[in-house]
């Protein structure tokens, strides 16, 4: 799962990036409203977290622009303001949730999980299933034929991206965009290497090929 966090306070940005990274999320950060608004409208994120008070463009403006562009990406709004008018303005601009600063990482994680559950009918009790393959997005664990498959966080992210898009060919660039941050080397073979490792681990449990390579197009989960 990939999250965009727009926050000009570098300490808070690093804290959230590290904290959510521990839960298995890929967190991309932007330091001002202009950059954050551009990224939110140009790339696919599973969720956007917006600080309100930002250089160059406010979180409220970014929120309106995201919705005006037709994107329905879940948005969590952050603000030091606790007054009702600010909350109403954020929600009317298209925010899905509102948190006040300071906040705890546990509450932010809980709200993210609740937010990501809303539009996902594939998931029940934090589980995503394709045949005998089960991913628990809360515990970050994978089982196949009821046997544990030990994956690294990044391997889990790649497999989750494929499973959430079952029966859809996922290009290498699409996987890179959803699982890695924008500063990753797009010309490296990191996606191929992770796919190779995941296959090896899945095949050690069940020889049936689950991840199918579509030459020149990408990868698809065999449902």
């Amino acid at each position: 799962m990939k999250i965009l966090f727009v926050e000009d306070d570098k300490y808070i940005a690093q804290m959230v990036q590290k904290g959510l990274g521990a839960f298995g999320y890929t967190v991309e950060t932007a330091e001002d409203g202009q950059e954050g608004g551009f990224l939110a409208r140009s790339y696919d994120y599973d969720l956007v977290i917006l600080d309100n008070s930002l250089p160059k463009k406010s979180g409220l403006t970014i929120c309106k622009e995201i919705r005006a562009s037709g994107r329905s990406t879940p948005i969590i709004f952050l603000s030091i303001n606790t007054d009702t008018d600010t909350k109403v303005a954020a929600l009317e601009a298209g925010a899905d949730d509102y948190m006040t600063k300071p906040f705890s990482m546990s509450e932010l994680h809980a709200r993210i999980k609740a937010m990501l559950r809303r539009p996902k009918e594939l998931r029940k009790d934090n589980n995503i299933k394709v045949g005998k393959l089960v991913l628990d997005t809360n515990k970050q664990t994978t089982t196949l034929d009821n046997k544990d498959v030990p994956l690294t966080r990044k391997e889990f992210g790649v497999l989750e991206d494929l499973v959430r898009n079952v029966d859809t060919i996922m290009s290498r660039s699409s996987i890179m965009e959803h699982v890695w941050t924008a500063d990753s080397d797009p010309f490296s073979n990191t996606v191929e290497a992770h796919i190779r490792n995941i296959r090896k681990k899945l095949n050690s449990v069940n020889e049936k090929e689950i991840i199918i390579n579509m030459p020149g197009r990408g990868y698809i989960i065999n449902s």
Side-chain angles (χ1 to χ4, degrees):
M1 304 293 285
K2 190 169 183 178
I3 294 173
L4 173 63
F5 183 34
V6 188
E7 169 63 65
D8 62 321
D9 187 314
K10 292 184 178 180
Y11 172 77
I12 295 177
Q14 291 174 356
M15 178 189 71
V16 169
Q17 191 171 43
K18 183 177 180 180
L20 294 183
F23 292 114
Y25 299 100
T26 297
V27 182
E28 196 162 285
T29 61
E31 295 183 1
D32 62 68
Q34 185 171 315
E35 179 190 12
F38 171 77
L39 291 174
R41 298 191 309 275
S42 303
Y43 299 96
D44 290 328
Y45 295 96
D46 294 290
L47 184 138
V48 174
I49 303 173
L50 285 177
D51 182 28
N52 183 31
S53 180
L54 292 164
K56 299 182 181 180
K57 190 178 292 185
S58 71
L60 197 63
T61 300
I62 298 171
C63 192
K64 292 177 181 178
E65 290 178 349
I66 292 173
R67 295 300 181 237
S69 71
R71 290 184 177 270
S72 58
T73 311
I75 297 173
I76 295 179
F77 204 83
L78 291 179
S79 177
I80 60 172
N81 296 318
T82 59
D83 61 282
T84 302
D85 289 344
T86 303
K87 293 180 181 179
V88 170
L91 295 172
E92 289 185 343
D96 298 279
D97 198 0
Y98 187 102
M99 289 184 65
T100 55
K101 293 181 178 182
F103 57 88
S104 68
M105 190 59 61
S106 58
E107 181 185 3
L108 178 60
H109 184 216
R111 292 192 184 222
I112 289 172
K113 289 195 297 181
M115 190 67 57
L116 294 177
R117 274 199 299 269
R118 294 179 187 176
K120 302 295 184 182
E121 296 179 0
L122 277 174
R123 186 164 42 170
K124 185 177 181 180
D125 298 330
N126 298 307
N127 287 346
I128 311 173
K129 301 178 182 180
V130 175
K132 296 181 180 180
L133 177 65
V134 181
L135 277 66
D136 186 321
T137 60
N138 188 32
K139 297 179 180 179
Q140 295 280 295
T141 57
T142 304
T143 59
L144 179 60
D145 288 340
N146 295 315
K147 297 178 182 177
D148 291 333
V149 181
L151 300 178
T152 67
R153 286 177 183 164
K154 197 63 73 175
E155 288 169 355
F156 185 91
V158 171
L159 185 57
E160 181 183 1
D161 192 41
L162 290 170
V163 170
R164 286 188 181 280
N165 295 279
V166 63
D167 294 327
T168 301
I169 298 175
M170 300 296 291
S171 68
R172 177 187 176 282
S173 60
S174 176
I175 295 172
M176 176 73 78
E177 181 180 326
H178 281 86
V179 184
W180 277 266
T181 54
D183 57 359
S184 300
D185 182 4
F187 300 106
S188 72
N189 66 343
T190 186
V191 173
E192 291 83 354
H194 280 77
I195 292 285
R196 186 165 55 248
N197 290 338
I198 295 167
R199 277 175 164 163
K200 187 182 298 183
K201 293 178 180 181
L202 293 176
N203 290 345
S204 68
V205 175
N206 188 323
E207 293 184 358
K208 180 181 178 182
E209 201 68 66
I210 295 176
I211 302 176
I212 307 299
N213 181 21
M214 308 295 285
R217 302 173 69 189
Y219 305 92
I220 188 171
I221 287 287
N222 183 2
S223 61

